[in-house]
Amino acid sequence: MALAEAGARGRLLRWPRVLLFGDSITEYSFQENGWGAYLAERLVRKCDVVNRGISGYNTRWAKLVLPRLISESTSADSIAAVTIFFGANDSALKELNPKQHIPLEEYAANLKSMVQYLKSVDITADRIILITPPPLQESAWEKACLAKGDKLNRCNATTGQYAQACVQVARECGTDVLDLWTLMQKNQDFSSYLSDGLHLSTKGNSFLAAQLWSRLENKLSALPSLLPYWRDVDHTNPEASLL
């Protein structure tokens, strides 16, 4: 059978998508042992995991970009889940990092605006997961800043305020939330979760992956595996199984 004929006979296969939207912690998530790669591995026959992490971005910029990633013409059915993971840059100290800093109230408003936009294009609240920024290990991040000729431009207490705002937005909007800031500090030294005081280490990636998977697994468990298992293909008439 010619390929063109096979294509005409069979339905176009479209994998549902899980969209990871965030800053550098999302952008780096497809690196070796990254949390995005972990999700992609587990969903390979069910979903495409799409990395839309943009290093250095804050919610003011992200709010402008989101409609260019998911538009009204995007089939809502094709979006299985969306993670929104910002705050590590928004919470930078204004006097030391004015370019990335976003005031706390605006940060919350921007998150809410993004959730409302997703709802407006028929992506329901149960498919949206907000993720708070992780805690900041100040001494390690100060070393990273000093190496670039900068002063310490973030502090953990301030990051915690943004994490609390993220949790509150999720509560108000009816979405799920992963409070990474709180969970990572629960009864333990969290420094091992971070590679440089801000970004995730291998252990931190594993922690986030496990926490996120526990929330996504229930949402995605009903999705079928696309294309039959190879043992189930009729080898005498593969068209009957595959088209």
Side-chain angles (χ1 to χ4, degrees), residues 215-229:
R215 289 159 172 78
L216 281 173
E217 190 172 16
N218 291 334
K219 299 178 190 297
L220 304 179
S221 59
L223 290 174
S225 287
L226 295 165
L227 294 173
Y229 180 55

Side-chain angles (χ1 to χ4, degrees), residues 19-82:
L19 183 75
L20 310 181
F21 188 41
D23 52 35
S24 58
I25 303 176
T26 298
E27 182 174 326
Y28 301 161
S29 72
F30 273 26
Q31 294 179 350
E32 186 175 4
N33 300 315
W35 61 272
Y38 176 99
L39 296 178
E41 181 183 356
R42 275 148 188 77
L43 293 169
V44 67
R45 289 288 295 278
K46 294 191 172 190
C47 297
D48 284 336
V49 179
V50 181
N51 186 336
R52 292 294 179 264
I54 315 169
S55 179
Y57 273 49
N58 56 36
T59 55
R60 184 183 293 167
W61 304 345
K63 182 178 71 170
L64 300 176
V65 171
L66 183 59
R68 301 180 66 193
L69 302 179
I70 299 176
S71 68
E72 290 185 27
S73 62
T74 305
S75 171
D77 292 341
S78 73
I79 304 295
V82 179

Side-chain angles (χ1 to χ4, degrees), residues 100-168:
Q100 291 179 302
H101 167 81
I102 298 297
L104 183 61
E105 289 186 5
E106 185 190 340
Y107 168 72
N110 290 340
L111 285 180
K112 187 175 293 186
S113 176
M114 286 189 274
V115 171
Q116 289 171 341
Y117 172 76
L118 292 175
K119 289 180 178 179
S120 77
V121 294
D122 297 325
I123 296 171
T124 51
D126 63 315
R127 285 183 277 169
I128 302 168
I129 302 176
L130 300 186
I131 306 175
T132 77
L136 181 84
Q137 216 287 318
E138 293 174 16
S139 60
W141 184 241
E142 184 173 27
K143 288 180 182 177
C145 291
L146 290 172
K148 299 175 183 176
D150 298 327
K151 296 179 180 179
L152 177 64
N153 55 22
R154 291 163 170 80
C155 76
N156 193 38
T158 301
T159 303
Q161 294 174 350
Y162 284 70
Q164 290 170 10
C166 180
V167 171
Q168 182 61 31

Side-chain angles (χ1 to χ4, degrees), residues 159-180:
T159 303
Q161 294 174 350
Y162 284 70
Q164 290 170 10
C166 180
V167 171
Q168 182 61 31
V169 168
R171 187 177 297 124
E172 292 173 1
C173 294
T175 70
D176 204 347
V177 64
L178 175 50
D179 185 359
L180 207 56

